[in-house]
Amino acid sequence: MRKAVASRPRQGLIKDIQRTNFERVLGNAAQFSIVTIGIVVAFVAVREAQVVLAPLFLAVTVGLMFGPVADMLEQRGVPEALSAGVVVLLFIVIIVVGGALFYGPLSEWAARIPTVWERIQSELANWKEPIAAIGALQEQVKGVLGGGDKMEVRVEDGSTVTGIAMLAPAILAQIGVFLVSLYFFLATRDNIRIATLSLCVSRRMRWRTAHVFRDVEQKVSKYLLTISMVNLGVGAVVTLMTWAVGLPSPLLWGAMAAVLNYIPFIGQAFMALVLFLVGLGTTGELFGGLLPMALYFGINFIEGNFVTPNLLGRTMTINPFMIFLSLTFWIWAWGPVGGLIAVPSLLVLYSIVTHILPTRTVAPRKLRRLVAQKASRDADEAEPRAAPPEPAKLPTRRTRAAKPASAS
């Protein structure tokens, strides 16, 4: 029996020796290829299912944002179905009021677009010589590289009204899916949590899943509510700034800045471009376009580096590179809707990963230095030292009695 047990590891060792390194590399490459193909298929499926998944994910994000409002109504005795309906109606009222506020200034600026465009063209005429020099340099580079073929551009005739008419049913269907999903998510979110927890087979798994639900609701809700307040503040400051520099319709630019601030990086860049073009077209001078853009960048710098981090705290701080990757992927997949859910989806993924793979929070550099100094002091104190000399023993009664006997 002992020989049989002892021979098992030997057989396994022989099998490992018989397999060459090429076979191991080939097996690892096959596993990696399967995982890569699965990720690519998932990305393509998410992109192709935009019509259904985009309004559904946006409804879950908005539901997590308005979840505290529904909880407050339910704590006062309002049924879940009624509280969900109240929240959906509140959201519709906010959207309708915002659209009504946008409609007047936008219609005014739509009528002023030809005049603004003429002023922009007159200003661009001053840049004609530098642009011509750049064009001549480009032609020289093409001649050196042998790229003299001309590129033909064809513009196909198409009717804008026809395109809008074709897109209207799809847009209305997505709005309907969004509103219905938002209502049912708010009305049944507790049932969804309980049903998910009942599928967990162990107590530890249920504990982790419950913490994931709690962190997702708290983080996403706190992030969205805080960002909404910050964006309202940014909109108010931009309104005052555009009024101070003399731009017409300051309320429009403040509201647009508040909405675009939900989309990191891209929203701010687009808003800066809009302010530059509006300032250039209104004043007809380059300085008139650069001034509001520079002031907006200053407002955005203060908001992004001081206001938002202090309100959200370090626990909600995410690596900007991860935000950029999430933003790039979701905009590629779902367009503007993806830009709105990029950061909330990253928070959800962060909550899931931190509970599946617990990690330590990186402490600040000053705190790490103090901890290292204390650790070195403790190590020095723990080192063994030379023992002090033992004191001389005093003679006891027994030893004094034994001395005369030994002398005799």
Side-chain angles (χ1 to χ4, degrees), residues 185-237:
F185 175 77
L186 290 171
T188 62
R189 64 189 188 282
D190 292 334
N191 297 331
I192 294 173
R193 184 190 301 108
I194 294 172
T196 305
L197 293 176
S198 64
L199 297 176
C200 301
V201 295
S202 63
R203 182 178 178 83
R204 184 175 182 84
M205 187 180 296
R206 285 194 296 271
W207 182 84
R208 285 190 174 183
T209 307
H211 278 70
V212 168
F213 273 106
R214 183 200 63 186
D215 284 357
V216 166
E217 291 180 354
Q218 290 181 352
K219 288 183 178 180
V220 175
S221 177
K222 179 182 178 181
Y223 171 79
L224 290 176
L225 291 176
T226 306
I227 288 299
S228 298
M229 291 188 296
V230 171
N231 291 348
L232 289 176
V234 170
V237 175

Side-chain angles (χ1 to χ4, degrees), residues 79-361:
E80 294 179 353
L82 184 58
S83 65
V86 171
V87 171
V88 173
L89 289 177
L90 176 63
F91 180 76
I92 293 175
V93 168
I94 293 174
I95 296 300
V96 171
V97 172
L101 292 177
F102 269 98
Y103 177 76
L106 282 177
S107 60
E108 179 184 352
W109 273 94
R112 297 175 59 180
I113 283 178
T115 306
V116 173
W117 180 242
E118 290 179 0
R119 291 185 179 180
I120 292 175
Q121 284 182 332
S122 62
E123 181 64 25
L124 291 176
N126 299 327
W127 304 350
K128 189 174 181 179
E129 294 182 0
I131 293 175
I134 295 175
L137 179 62
Q138 184 179 4
E139 293 296 332
Q140 293 177 2
V141 172
K142 284 184 179 180
V144 172
L145 298 178
D149 297 336
K150 295 183 179 180
M151 182 177 62
E152 296 182 358
V153 180
R154 296 181 180 178
V155 180
E156 297 181 357
D157 295 333
S159 176
T160 306
V161 177
T162 304
I164 294 175
M166 295 293 292
L167 290 176
I171 295 174
L172 292 177
Q174 289 185 352
I175 293 174
V177 171
F178 167 75
L179 294 176
V180 173
S181 302
L182 177 61
Y183 172 78
F184 282 110
F185 175 77
L186 290 171
T188 62
R189 64 189 188 282
D190 292 334
N191 297 331
I192 294 173
R193 184 190 301 108
I194 294 172
T196 305
L197 293 176
S198 64
L199 297 176
C200 301
V201 295
S202 63
R203 182 178 178 83
R204 184 175 182 84
M205 187 180 296
R206 285 194 296 271
W207 182 84
R208 285 190 174 183
T209 307
H211 278 70
V212 168
F213 273 106
R214 183 200 63 186
D215 284 357
V216 166
E217 291 180 354
Q218 290 181 352
K219 288 183 178 180
V220 175
S221 177
K222 179 182 178 181
Y223 171 79
L224 290 176
L225 291 176
T226 306
I227 288 299
S228 298
M229 291 188 296
V230 171
N231 291 348
L232 289 176
V234 170
V237 175
V238 171
T239 301
L240 294 176
M241 181 268 293
T242 52
W243 172 78
V245 298
L247 292 183
S249 305
L251 288 175
L252 174 63
W253 314 126
M256 187 178 294
V259 173
L260 291 176
N261 210 42
Y262 281 99
I263 305 176
F265 306 134
I266 297 178
Q268 287 86 356
F270 182 76
M271 187 64 205
L273 178 62
V274 169
L275 290 177
F276 173 73
L277 293 177
V278 170
L280 183 63
T282 303
T283 61
E285 298 178 357
L286 181 60
F287 179 77
L290 292 177
L291 179 61
M293 184 178 67
L295 292 176
Y296 173 74
F297 275 131
I299 294 170
N300 190 257
F301 177 80
I302 296 173
E303 177 266 324
N305 291 277
F306 299 100
V307 179
T308 303
N310 289 328
L311 291 177
L312 290 177
R314 291 186 176 273
T315 56
M316 298 287 291
T317 304
I318 305 176
N319 191 343
F321 180 67
M322 299 301 298
I323 295 176
F324 178 76
L325 288 181
S326 178
L327 191 68
T328 303
F329 169 73
W330 287 113
I331 288 180
W332 167 79
W334 293 345
V337 177
L340 293 175
I341 68 170
V343 179
S345 64
L346 195 61
L347 290 173
V348 172
L349 181 62
Y350 177 77
S351 300
I352 294 173
V353 170
T354 51
H355 284 283
I356 294 177
L357 302 173
T359 56
R360 293 185 303 174
T361 304

